[in-house]
Amino acid sequence: MARPRPSDILVTYRVETPGSPEALAAKIASDQSTGTFVDLPGETPELKARAAARVVAFERLDTAGAPSLPARGAAFNRAHVTIAYPLEAVGTDLSALTTVALGGVWSIKEFTGLRVVGLELPSEFDGVYPGPQFGIDGSRRLTGVYERPIIGTIIKPALGLAPDETADVVDELIKSGVDFIKDDEKLMSPPYSSLEARVTAIMPLIRDHEQLTGKKVMYAFGISDVDPDEMVRKHDMVVREGGNAAVININSIGMGAFLFLRRRSSLALHAHRNGWDLLTRHPGLGFDFSVYQQLWRLLGVDQFQINGIGAKYWEPDESFIQSFHDLQKPIFHDADRPLPVVCSGQWGGQAPETYRRTGQTVDHLYLCGGGVVSHPGGPAAGVKAVRAAWDAAIAGVDLQDYAKSHPELAQALAKFGAKSPTSEGK
Amino acid sequence: MARPRPSDILVTYRVETPGSPEALAAKIASDQSTGTFVDLPGETPELKARAAARVVAFERLDTAGAPSLPARGAAFNRAHVTIAYPLEAVGTDLSALTTVALGGVWSIKEFTGLRVVGLELPSEFDGVYPGPQFGIDGSRRLTGVYERPIIGTIIKPALGLAPDETADVVDELIKSGVDFIKDDEKLMSPPYSSLEARVTAIMPLIRDHEQLTGKKVMYAFGISDVDPDEMVRKHDMVVREGGNAAVININSIGMGAFLFLRRRSSLALHAHRNGWDLLTRHPGLGFDFSVYQQLWRLLGVDQFQINGIGAKYWEPDESFIQSFHDLQKPIFHDADRPLPVVCSGQWGGQAPETYRRTGQTVDHLYLCGGGVVSHPGGPAAGVKAVRAAWDAAIAGVDLQDYAKSHPELAQALAKFGAKSPTSEGK
């Protein structure tokens, strides 16, 4: 088997086929570089040495009884296959990488399952892309929150509030002591609530509160727009009014538009990975998050939503924990690590398990939507409850015990404790 | 059941669940508009009327015995569900549409399968996006080809040729009489063959041939780049040298970057949908092409690759035929129809079946890579064979009969006839 060269781009696939996984591995390497369906006169040994992708690792896995894609048969052979793509043939353009190694592969006929489970970029990619501008340290600096998670919440209801109604909600949320507020990712600039109207209604409240208390609440406005020129115009409007963050629906705008924005941005870019589930939810198809997140970190995501323990969505806790660890690993440098955003169905009750399973770190944004705004005592009590839960988690005190001296936490446990089961039981 | 309003955006899903599909339909409508995991004080009837998505059609399908996503059970209930999203809540921004209706839906826990099978946009979307600049008529005007398919080929080997070697191939292909040549989608601007070097080496050949013969071969250069500024720079370089087309890997750059380019483009934009297979190949997950293609047509794709009969990839012939018909249907106007690009494993043998099953139209680009360049008589013979196959198809003459007086076709039948089976046998 060929050895990888230091400059190779290494992509690991989990393949599944009723046929030979060795043959499938060779076919992927050929199809995604020099090959076509017939022999070619120009396909010389010299050319192949320059451009051909090569299989550099192959590990048989256990056979699957059921195929990932509908197919007949009783046994499907599986393997982990690592293919080395020459940097000379791909370059450092991420759209070339996705086309060659992370795109066309799913067109190959012979597999019943194909998932990209590993990506190792050579050092030649270091410095080509801007990476996070704020990340963990910048998010702490902008919010002034240290030595505990940044506590965030979301405007609810997600859709339907007029800008002045939104401002009323924001006013209450600011006074609740929360560190971060965001638009729901589904709220961008619809006719009934244009971004401009929201920015105009909300930013004076943020500024006034900062004047009064010295605390600047980070507000992430939904500035996504399929038109990059328009998105930058929206970005500039937020900056002009003193805002410091934006929610970006990364899959909806795409890699190019995100990079275009990042190169012009002075906001912390908070990524919502809407649609990601389609790319990862079937275990035999698509991508591991460990691969996907690398692309977006290089492009410059500052804060990355990754669900949480006991999420309201389909994602299992183990997957969330793995995602958290993925974001903690430098690609090339510590500074390319974005701030993990723990979210979905969070209310504080998951703090102990989150703390323990993420390596006892507090470097994240802990985002509670309904968990804050639907607290029986209102948002201020909701924020107190979440803060208390994290204090207890960090101190290693049981939440029920801590709640005896923290009535807001007691109220949260009573209201949400039955609704958001965690994997450690209740 | 609610009735749709004329301005509603209608999205039809095929849902699959071990539970109640009616309940799942209601959950999609709620989650993708106003709802969260707890009741909210601000979720008033007025707000719901403004922003709530509503189920407007529901049709039970037969029960599936196996789930699309791995799950336990013996019966999975399926239904077609149409949800009306209020235009007031979404607006006409395509990144909002994908976020709300075509993105977050896959995060919902309760389904074992979810596929978007229909999209009907209200007339408010008409004119918001540029649409195709060239499409069918413009592609014919630029190539000067009428009353037959535009015949195209692809530089092979796909990767590895130096620019001067590519130019040698192009020189031979131009002289073959082909109408259209393209870079392989995997070739963009790698170190060994920068786009600039290719444009500089190739365009003089195109221009000289035009001077000599009056025929301008359309050459589609791979100008995709994850950086939109850089992509426009590449576009401008091609224009400056007299080029008139470009290959764009639409999924790799994303919707925003494509729109950015389209708004500045004077090239025919030839879309390669790399990675599309992951979004459509599992029949219980992802998208029908009928939905996906609408977004890219609105954004401005001029020529759309959709495979062909007997493709070398996984896609069944029926799926290709359906895609062809999808592209033929106006969204709002005839002019929003791109030129279908019939491709993958094509060599002419599929012409009769393609002609018959696409409604006897010749409005497409028929793209043969290996099928032209690997013809035993060389590319010129390859083009002659393909032209002959189409002449025969249009005249309703059997290929074997026609080959008696067309030796290049006879050679092609002998070489490729056994390798590229079509669904109608050989």
Side-chain angles (χ1 to χ4, degrees):
Chain A
M1 193 161 297
R3 278 163 175 274
R5 293 164 295 200
S7 68
D8 281 340
I9 300 164
L10 301 178
V11 181
T12 302
Y13 306 90
R14 189 167 61 236
V15 301
E16 173 199 303
T17 173
S20 153
E22 289 86 351
L24 177 56
K27 183 158 175 52
I28 294 173
S30 165
D31 270 22
Q32 295 314 112
S33 52
T34 57
T36 184
F37 74 112
V38 287
D39 289 337
L40 293 163
E43 206 175 3
T44 61
E46 295 71 29
L47 178 143
K48 285 198 175 187
R50 181 161 58 201
R54 295 156 310 129
V55 178
V56 295
F58 184 92
E59 179 201 359
R60 270 272 188 178
L61 302 171
D62 57 327
T63 302
S68 296
L69 290 168
R72 283 182 200 169
F76 298 87
N77 302 308
R78 302 193 314 149
H80 276 150
V81 175
T82 302
I83 294 182
Y85 293 92
L87 186 69
E88 181 74 4
V90 180
T92 55
D93 185 276
L94 292 182
S95 69
L97 176 64
T98 53
T99 299
V100 173
L102 311 176
V105 288
W106 280 285
S107 65
I108 294 171
K109 193 183 284 194
E110 288 79 2
F111 69 78
T112 56
L114 183 72
R115 187 173 174 94
V116 183
V117 298
L119 171 65
E120 269 184 65
L121 298 173
S123 61
E124 282 80 355
F125 280 78
D126 184 11
V128 174
Y129 294 98
Q133 183 172 194
F134 296 98
I136 298 169
D137 293 347
S139 296
R140 289 211 175 281
R141 185 164 39 78
L142 289 175
T143 56
V145 174
Y146 298 93
E147 297 179 358
R148 62 168 177 85
I150 298 171
I151 308 297
T153 191
I154 309 165
I155 301 291
K156 299 281 175 184
L159 299 182
L161 296 172
D164 60 325
E165 296 169 324
T166 307
D168 290 344
V169 174
V170 171
D171 194 42
E172 192 177 5
L173 292 175
I174 290 174
K175 290 173 182 156
S176 76
V178 80
D179 308 310
F180 172 98
I181 307 171
K182 70 181 277 291
D183 288 336
D184 185 277
E185 81 281 358
K186 294 187 291 295
L187 183 62
M188 293 153 70
S189 195
Y192 73 88
S193 177
S194 76
L195 177 71
E196 183 158 17
R198 288 207 308 287
V199 171
T200 309
I202 291 168
M203 281 312 299
L205 304 173
I206 305 276
R207 294 194 305 257
D208 289 352
H209 187 256
E210 185 187 8
Q211 289 268 319
L212 273 170
T213 67
K215 181 178 176 75
K216 180 163 187 174
V217 175
M218 178 178 271
Y219 194 104
F221 288 96
I223 69 167
S224 297
D225 198 298
V226 75
D227 186 330
D229 296 308
E230 183 62 19
M231 186 160 59
V232 167
R233 201 187 64 75
K234 290 177 172 177
H235 163 277
D236 295 348
M237 186 201 307
V238 172
V239 171
R240 217 161 38 233
E241 292 292 326
N244 55 17
V247 180
I248 309 293
N249 301 327
I250 56 178
N251 293 315
S252 291
I253 65 166
M255 288 203 300
F258 185 82
L259 179 60
F260 183 81
L261 173 66
R262 169 63 184 87
R263 291 209 190 278
R264 291 153 176 82
S265 175
S266 50
L267 301 177
L269 300 177
H270 179 108
H272 191 279
R273 54 183 185 172
N274 60 295
W276 159 242
D277 312 275
L278 174 59
L279 305 178
T280 196
R281 188 164 168 175
H282 196 303
L285 303 170
F287 293 89
D288 276 3
F289 185 69
S290 67
V291 174
Y292 168 84
Q293 53 100 27
Q294 288 188 53
L295 307 178
W296 292 100
R297 284 167 62 179
L298 291 177
L299 293 170
V301 163
D302 288 304
Q303 305 176 345
F304 216 140
Q305 284 205 14
I306 53 170
N307 285 332
I309 297 290
K312 62 182 174 178
Y313 301 125
W314 71 276
E315 189 171 18
D317 293 347
E318 298 63 40
S319 175
F320 152 68
I321 294 293
Q322 182 58 50
S323 299
F324 197 105
H325 291 311
D326 291 336
L327 295 186
Q328 285 179 310
K329 277 185 218 121
I331 300 174
F332 299 114
H333 306 283
D334 277 353
D336 63 34
R337 297 177 308 145
L339 183 72
V341 180
V342 179
C343 56
S344 178
Q346 302 300 301
W347 55 274
Q350 303 97 328
E353 186 175 348
T354 305
Y355 186 60
R356 188 175 54 73
R357 296 180 68 184
T358 57
Q360 301 204 321
T361 178
V362 293
D363 280 342
H364 61 85
L365 166 51
Y366 189 72
L367 191 56
C368 309
V372 159
V373 302
S374 297
H375 189 284
V383 171
K384 276 193 186 144
V386 174
R387 289 280 301 272
W390 274 99
D391 288 345
I394 295 165
V397 179
D398 183 79
L399 289 192
Q400 297 289 352
D401 289 343
Y402 208 71
K404 288 172 192 162
S405 54
H406 293 80
E408 296 87 359
L409 178 56
Q411 284 178 295
L413 285 166
K415 174 155 188 182
F416 303 125
K419 277 208 170 182
S420 299
T422 78
S423 62
E424 300 191 324
K426 303 159 281 107
Chain B
M1 195 163 294
R3 279 163 174 276
R5 293 165 294 200
S7 67
D8 281 341
I9 300 163
L10 301 179
V11 181
T12 302
Y13 306 90
R14 188 165 63 237
V15 301
E16 174 199 304
T17 172
S20 153
E22 290 86 350
L24 177 56
K27 184 160 175 49
I28 295 173
S30 164
D31 271 23
Q32 294 316 109
S33 53
T34 58
T36 183
F37 73 109
V38 286
D39 288 336
L40 293 163
E43 206 175 2
T44 62
E46 295 72 30
L47 178 142
K48 284 197 175 186
R50 180 160 60 202
R54 295 156 309 127
V55 177
V56 296
F58 184 93
E59 180 202 1
R60 269 273 186 177
L61 302 171
D62 57 326
T63 302
S68 295
L69 290 168
R72 286 185 197 164
F76 298 88
N77 302 308
R78 301 192 316 150
H80 276 151
V81 175
T82 303
I83 294 182
Y85 293 91
L87 186 68
E88 181 75 4
V90 179
T92 56
D93 185 276
L94 291 182
S95 68
L97 176 65
T98 54
T99 300
V100 173
L102 311 176
V105 288
W106 280 285
S107 65
I108 294 172
K109 192 183 284 193
E110 288 79 3
F111 69 79
T112 56
L114 183 72
R115 186 172 174 93
V116 183
V117 298
L119 171 65
E120 269 184 64
L121 297 173
S123 61
E124 282 80 355
F125 279 79
D126 183 13
V128 174
Y129 295 98
Q133 182 172 194
F134 296 97
I136 298 168
D137 292 347
S139 296
R140 289 212 176 280
R141 184 163 39 79
L142 289 175
T143 56
V145 175
Y146 298 92
E147 296 176 0
R148 63 168 176 84
I150 299 170
I151 308 297
T153 191
I154 309 166
I155 301 292
K156 300 281 175 182
L159 299 183
L161 296 173
D164 59 324
E165 295 170 323
T166 307
D168 291 343
V169 175
V170 171
D171 194 41
E172 191 177 6
L173 292 175
I174 289 173
K175 290 171 183 156
S176 76
V178 80
D179 308 309
F180 172 99
I181 307 171
K182 69 181 279 290
D183 288 337
D184 186 277
E185 82 281 357
K186 295 187 291 293
L187 184 61
M188 295 154 68
S189 196
Y192 72 88
S193 177
S194 76
L195 177 72
E196 182 157 18
R198 288 207 308 287
V199 171
T200 309
I202 291 167
M203 281 311 301
L205 304 174
I206 304 278
R207 293 194 306 255
D208 288 352
H209 187 255
E210 185 187 7
Q211 288 269 319
L212 273 171
T213 66
K215 182 179 176 75
K216 181 162 187 174
V217 176
M218 179 178 272
Y219 193 103
F221 288 96
I223 69 166
S224 298
D225 198 300
V226 73
D227 186 330
D229 295 308
E230 183 63 20
M231 186 160 59
V232 167
R233 199 186 66 75
K234 290 177 172 176
H235 163 277
D236 295 348
M237 187 202 307
V238 172
V239 171
R240 215 161 38 233
E241 293 290 326
N244 55 15
V247 180
I248 308 294
N249 301 327
I250 56 178
N251 293 316
S252 291
I253 64 167
M255 290 203 299
F258 184 81
L259 180 60
F260 184 81
L261 173 66
R262 169 61 184 88
R263 290 209 190 279
R264 291 154 176 81
S265 175
S266 49
L267 301 177
L269 300 177
H270 179 108
H272 190 280
R273 53 183 186 174
N274 60 296
W276 160 242
D277 312 275
L278 174 58
L279 306 179
T280 198
R281 188 164 169 176
H282 195 304
L285 303 170
F287 292 88
D288 275 3
F289 186 69
S290 67
V291 174
Y292 168 84
Q293 54 100 26
Q294 288 188 53
L295 306 178
W296 292 100
R297 284 167 62 179
L298 292 177
L299 292 171
V301 162
D302 289 302
Q303 305 176 345
F304 217 139
Q305 285 204 13
I306 52 170
N307 285 330
I309 296 291
K312 62 182 173 177
Y313 301 125
W314 71 277
E315 189 170 17
D317 293 348
E318 298 64 38
S319 174
F320 151 68
I321 294 292
Q322 182 58 50
S323 299
F324 198 104
H325 291 311
D326 291 336
L327 294 185
Q328 285 178 310
K329 278 185 218 118
I331 301 174
F332 299 114
H333 307 282
D334 277 355
D336 62 35
R337 296 177 308 144
L339 184 71
V341 180
V342 179
C343 56
S344 179
Q346 302 300 300
W347 55 275
Q350 303 96 329
E353 186 175 348
T354 305
Y355 187 58
R356 188 175 54 73
R357 296 181 68 184
T358 57
Q360 301 203 323
T361 178
V362 293
D363 280 342
H364 60 84
L365 167 50
Y366 189 73
L367 192 56
C368 309
V372 159
V373 302
S374 297
H375 189 283
V383 171
K384 276 192 186 145
V386 173
R387 289 282 299 272
W390 273 99
D391 289 344
I394 295 164
V397 179
D398 183 80
L399 289 191
Q400 297 288 354
D401 289 344
Y402 207 72
K404 289 172 191 161
S405 54
H406 293 80
E408 296 87 359
L409 179 56
Q411 285 178 294
L413 284 166
K415 172 154 188 183
F416 303 124
K419 277 207 169 183
S420 298
T422 78
S423 62
E424 299 190 323
K426 305 159 278 104

